[in-house]
Amino acid sequence: MPSFRLLLASALTGLSALCALSATVLHAQAATAGKLRPARTASAIPTPASVLGWEPGADRKLPSWKQVTDYFTALDKASPRVSVRTLGKTTLGRPFLVAFFADEATLAHLPKYQKIQQELWDPRLRKRTRDELIAQGKNVILITSSIHSTEVGGFLTPFVIADKLARGDTPEARSILANTIVMLVPSQNPDGVDIVGDWYRRTLDTPAEGSTPPALYHFYSGHDNNRDWYAFSLKETRYTVDSLYTPWVPQIVNDVHQQGGNAGRIFIPPYMDPLEPNIDPILTASTNALGMAMSWRLIQDGKTGVATNAAYDQWSPARQYSLNHRGARILTETASARLATAVNMPFALLGAGRGYEAKTQSWNHPALWPWPGGRWGIGDIVAYQSSATWALLVEAARDRTAWLSSYATLAERALDDTHPWTPTEVPAQFVISKAQKDPVALQRLVWTLQHGQVEVHESVPAGSYVVPTKQPFGAYAKALLEAQAYPNLEEYPGGPPKRPYDVTAHTLPLLFGVAVTAEKSPSVQLGALVPPMAEPTYPTPALGNARIAIYQSYSASMDEGWTRWVFDANKVPFTSLKDAELRAGNLRAKYDAIVLPDQAANQLARGLAAPYADSLRGGIGANGAAALKAFVEGGGTVLAFNEASDYAIDVFALPVTDALRGLKSSDFYAPGSLFRVDLNAASPLTATFTAPTPAVWFEESPAFTITDPSRATAVLQYPASGSALLSGWLLGAPRLNGTAAMVDVRVGQGHVVLYGFRPQYRSQTNATWPLIWSAIARSAVRQ
Ligand SMILES: [Zn+2]
């Protein structure tokens, strides 16, 4: 078996391989160069191995969050090039860290450089000339690692980068420290470092080694935690936005991820189409240029399997805060193993990535030889990730002036009337009346815009909020306030629709249920800036002391987590109902309402299988299904969200069919869109609905046809004719005509309520929350 050191050395071929060098050697290099102060020689600076007890990238080794914080704390004490700050406590109470890296002179004067940034990104604040600012400024880079906690290379790559910056004395390291300010977030989800790490260590040497934990790795969002970059519902998002993005507005962001293991070894931008149309093309071009330069460097260093223009698009602001805030966004996606356990991936099993073929060369996967297959482990992942991040830093340092010049231009043209957008396409302002039926949703809308650095004004005369588009982040405001028209992309001419990487709509007024009008001319006079809005506090809905359970599968559902977020935010108490309790039955004695969050029917029914332990296997199963039937027949209410509706239709033998079941994507397609619905005013479930334009979040959703109207009632219906599309993408619109989006079915003494949409989508659909509360409130009424 090759030693780890050999693997690491080979993995780091072409880099300076600093972490493989002894502290003594480094000390000698540093002393020769005379760059480090005698009081803080390199030998005094801790190595990752001195804290971890092993090298980053060692097989089957993952750090605990305490080890991560111990290392960065020690680095902060020892190195004048490092300044570590705690930005707050995570959702589960762990410290959330950022480490600043720059040369000593820069780090000692961070407020001065922050001021230069501000003058660069907001020309209204400039006290110095553009040329002076560019000459004096630094290229500010934010690196966020391991937001996705099963992408475990991201736990370790920050150690490698930190070590190279703190102890390195190569020309590249010196150039980075002199020309940039690096803000390194070692994990965007510290809780997940321990949730996944603890599971991994607990299952080592068992059949479950390398498997995904049977729980969400972010308490509320799981993998969706990187889809929160305009809603800011998670504490961790807010720390990075409030403490790093807002004060610094970095020029470049590097988001370190992993992808599946059977195609390319790493993805680096350019992204695929489509582009969110409000992103300044300077940022698309600079992201493309930087990505290609990184790819060039990796290939030069001997890395194979480097793919660009593949898989990942540039559409949803949910994932790309920086592109909407003046920063190039470099997403890297490195091939995965089984957590920190190596896999053998034979060349014959390598497949097609989206946009390239892993076995052959192409312009965006150039190779004299593609990756040859074979062993792939955590050392390889860390080597690719750290090589890519290092290449980014080297480029950013070398081209500091070009980056700052580009950044200054972005700022100037955001305020420029001669911007290439034509005036007819861009409203001069968005006007939001204060007379909204849901004042908390209105507050949330203003809070959300302000949190993304959008300036919101009072109107003159008073009575409305006004968002002018000519302001530093006006294009971002426009993206969130307008309806999206997602392009009709096909895999090939005449072929099936080309799947977007994420969803296609992000229209806040429809999600929140707030009326907003776009004004072509600046017809409303601007008053004072609205001071920062508090966080919305939601009034607890009147639920008549209903006893509520939310089903929690071991095959963890992100939607279940978001459901808990909404219940917690509204201070609605509930019990998490797991398989053992569900299967044991007698549910009616304990609960009035049971929520089945969005999850595929077969996952709900069968749950996990091998290699998980028996106690985690089997899902709801036959006993659980029988218990749910007895619960409803005894007077309980089951709320089935989105795909769980298909499960409920089958289990309860409901007089309802899914009109979309089995359709091909070429016949019907809507991958995350907002649809117009009509309310059934006679249903008690719509009594508290207030949104001015009733809209539901449709994503891999069913649409219902009622087969026995004596037992089932349509609560929400799609239009009888015409397209239901309000924002996003919809193919096959006629398939929805006349179907129901929400159905209330009488079963025995109880009810099953089918939601053919996600009523609590990623915490954002304030508009449809009342449809949850109304069904629960009715469940508490003894009948
Ligand atoms: Zn990821």
Side-chain angles (χ1 to χ4, degrees):
M1 196 178 81
S3 75
F4 165 68
R5 193 167 289 278
L6 275 175
L7 281 175
L8 185 72
S10 75
L12 288 172
T13 301
L15 292 181
S16 49
L18 278 176
C19 53
L21 295 177
S22 72
T24 313
V25 173
L26 276 165
H27 178 54
Q29 287 175 342
T32 308
K35 296 297 286 184
L36 298 180
R37 296 185 311 179
R40 286 176 168 180
T41 60
S43 59
I45 296 173
T47 63
S50 72
V51 173
L52 293 171
W54 37 273
E55 296 284 356
D59 257 345
R60 302 173 86 215
K61 292 286 190 186
L62 292 177
S64 67
W65 184 243
K66 180 164 187 313
Q67 287 177 305
V68 177
T69 57
D70 283 351
Y71 171 71
F72 279 94
T73 304
L75 212 54
D76 176 68
K77 285 207 181 85
S79 169
R81 304 170 175 180
V82 187
S83 173
V84 175
R85 299 175 187 175
T86 300
L87 303 183
K89 289 284 175 70
T90 65
T91 302
L92 297 180
R94 291 178 179 81
F96 187 99
L97 297 190
V98 60
F100 284 74
F101 293 84
D103 62 24
E104 197 172 348
T106 307
L107 268 194
H109 298 285
L110 282 181
K112 173 181 133 186
Y113 290 101
Q114 189 183 330
K115 184 78 180 50
I116 293 171
Q117 282 290 102
Q118 287 173 339
E119 287 189 43
L120 278 169
W121 68 253
D122 189 346
R124 300 170 305 181
L125 303 177
R126 284 186 191 166
K127 296 189 171 59
R128 289 162 275 195
T129 66
R130 172 193 166 106
D131 288 348
E132 286 169 338
L133 291 166
I134 291 170
Q136 295 167 19
K138 304 289 183 184
N139 202 359
V140 178
I141 297 152
L142 170 65
I143 303 169
T144 51
S145 198
S146 69
I147 190 168
H148 288 155
S149 312
T150 48
E151 299 165 12
V152 293
F155 298 0
L156 294 157
T157 291
F159 283 88
V160 177
I161 296 299
D163 189 53
K164 286 166 71 81
L165 290 173
R167 296 197 302 135
D169 204 32
T170 60
E172 287 184 346
R174 284 199 298 272
S175 171
I176 293 166
L177 292 163
N179 289 292
T180 77
I181 295 170
V182 178
M183 305 184 291
L184 172 63
V185 175
S187 177
Q188 184 62 35
N189 180 25
D191 294 337
V193 172
D194 284 341
I195 291 170
V196 172
D198 289 348
W199 169 257
Y200 182 69
R201 285 181 283 273
R202 201 158 64 237
T203 53
L204 275 175
D205 297 314
T206 75
E209 175 175 335
S211 64
T212 303
L216 295 176
Y217 55 65
H218 182 282
F219 183 72
Y220 284 124
S221 64
H223 195 79
D224 261 354
N225 60 349
N226 77 325
R227 272 80 163 164
D228 188 43
W229 292 107
Y230 65 77
F232 321 119
S233 295
L234 307 177
K235 275 183 167 185
E236 294 79 6
T237 316
R238 293 199 293 273
Y239 292 143
T240 297
V241 168
D242 295 352
S243 299
L244 304 177
Y245 274 116
T246 298
W248 287 96
V249 191
Q251 277 85 356
I252 299 171
V253 172
N254 181 199
D255 197 12
V256 180
H257 285 253
Q258 287 173 220
Q259 58 186 354
N262 63 350
R265 296 300 92 191
I266 191 169
F267 161 82
I268 302 173
Y271 301 100
M272 297 176 95
D273 283 328
L275 314 170
E276 216 292 339
N278 295 291
I279 294 169
D280 193 300
I282 288 179
L283 289 173
T284 301
S286 57
T287 298
N288 292 350
L290 178 55
M292 290 310 267
M294 293 166 62
S295 155
W296 177 9
R297 170 67 183 262
L298 260 65
I299 292 167
Q300 184 188 339
D301 287 351
K303 298 281 190 292
T304 59
V306 179
T308 61
N309 190 238
Y312 308 92
D313 65 34
Q314 198 176 308
W315 182 260
S316 175
R319 293 182 298 114
Q320 51 191 24
Y321 189 83
S322 62
L323 286 172
N324 293 283
H325 291 84
R326 311 276 175 74
R329 175 176 186 256
I330 297 293
L331 167 74
T332 63
E333 297 269 1
T334 301
S336 295
R338 288 176 53 76
L339 301 181
T341 300
V343 293
N344 179 41
M345 176 53 63
F347 183 78
L349 293 187
L350 291 178
R354 293 190 75 203
Y356 68 102
E357 161 59 58
K359 289 194 192 118
T360 58
Q361 60 174 210
S362 57
W363 78 264
N364 61 337
H365 180 243
L368 281 175
W369 59 94
W371 184 65
R375 190 184 195 277
W376 184 260
I378 185 75
D380 303 300
I381 296 168
V382 172
Y384 267 70
Q385 288 181 339
S386 52
S387 295
T389 295
W390 192 254
L392 179 149
L393 295 176
V394 169
E395 291 295 325
R398 186 171 61 203
D399 290 342
R400 185 192 66 83
T401 306
W403 280 98
L404 265 59
S405 172
S406 170
Y407 187 78
T409 303
L410 282 165
E412 288 150 16
R413 69 195 216 178
L415 302 178
D416 182 356
D417 280 334
T418 62
H419 192 282
W421 287 330
T422 63
T424 51
E425 282 177 312
V426 180
Q429 54 190 208
F430 290 91
V431 179
I432 312 166
S433 167
K434 292 186 182 180
Q436 304 278 342
K437 285 187 180 164
D438 185 345
V440 187
L442 169 66
Q443 184 189 351
R444 184 178 189 184
L445 178 59
V446 175
W447 178 91
T448 302
L449 292 169
Q450 289 179 324
H451 238 72
Q453 290 184 272
V454 174
E455 294 169 355
V456 180
H457 292 257
E458 297 282 353
S459 65
V460 178
S464 294
Y465 297 116
V466 190
V467 181
T469 50
K470 198 172 98 174
Q471 61 165 303
F473 301 100
Y476 168 70
K478 176 174 172 284
L480 294 180
L481 292 173
E482 69 185 1
Q484 279 69 56
Y486 193 87
N488 270 323
L489 299 179
E490 298 172 334
E491 290 288 355
Y492 48 87
K498 185 176 166 185
R499 177 169 55 84
Y501 186 70
D502 192 32
V503 296
T504 65
H506 39 266
T507 310
L508 294 184
L510 294 173
L511 290 163
F512 291 174
V514 176
V516 177
T517 57
E519 302 290 341
K520 279 190 178 173
S521 61
S523 54
V524 179
Q525 194 184 330
L526 299 185
L529 274 178
V530 177
M533 200 69 89
E535 279 193 41
T537 303
Y538 300 102
T540 304
L543 301 179
N545 294 322
R547 300 163 302 165
I548 306 162
I550 300 174
Y551 175 64
Q552 187 174 58
S553 171
Y554 291 114
S555 177
S557 155
M558 292 179 274
D559 197 74
E560 182 269 338
W562 287 122
T563 306
R564 283 186 283 105
W565 187 99
V566 171
F567 278 60
D568 284 348
N570 285 275
K571 297 177 286 299
V572 174
F574 62 89
T575 301
S576 283
L577 179 58
K578 300 204 173 193
D579 290 332
E581 184 188 349
L582 178 54
R583 293 176 197 151
N586 197 26
L587 300 168
R588 186 71 190 101
K590 296 186 276 186
Y591 304 113
D592 300 303
I594 296 176
V595 178
L596 299 179
D598 179 22
Q599 194 158 13
N602 62 349
Q603 269 182 33
L604 283 166
R606 293 201 283 274
L608 296 177
Y612 292 91
D614 285 350
S615 60
L616 302 173
R617 294 188 198 179
I620 294 175
N623 290 346
L628 283 173
K629 277 178 84 167
F631 168 75
V632 173
E633 283 165 2
T637 294
V638 164
L639 292 78
F641 292 169
N642 209 39
E643 289 192 83
S645 295
D646 284 335
Y647 174 82
I649 288 171
D650 292 344
V651 162
F652 299 107
L654 301 181
V656 177
T657 58
D658 174 3
L660 305 178
R661 202 182 275 197
L663 287 183
K664 289 185 296 197
S665 65
S666 48
D667 294 327
F668 181 89
Y669 197 55
S673 306
L674 284 156
F675 288 167
R676 179 165 66 88
V677 288
D678 297 321
L679 302 183
N680 175 358
S683 167
L685 303 187
T686 63
T688 52
F689 192 91
T690 60
T693 304
V696 295
W697 181 266
F698 188 101
E699 184 180 355
E700 297 182 30
S701 301
F704 307 118
T705 303
I706 293 171
T707 56
D708 180 356
S710 71
R711 289 178 55 208
T713 310
V715 180
L716 302 178
Q717 248 175 324
Y718 291 113
S721 61
S723 174
L725 183 66
L726 290 170
S727 184
W729 195 16
L730 168 59
L731 296 176
R735 300 269 182 183
L736 288 177
N737 292 148
T739 64
M742 180 173 167
V743 173
D744 183 15
V745 191
R746 185 89 197 179
V747 177
Q749 299 300 306
H751 293 267
V752 177
V753 184
L754 305 177
Y755 300 77
F757 52 96
R758 293 177 64 185
Q760 78 316 20
Y761 163 72
R762 293 180 185 168
S763 81
Q764 297 168 23
T765 45
N766 291 55
T768 47
W769 292 354
L771 300 168
I772 304 172
W773 310 138
S774 59
I776 291 174
R778 187 183 60 181
S779 77
V781 179
R782 299 288 178 269
Q783 296 171 22

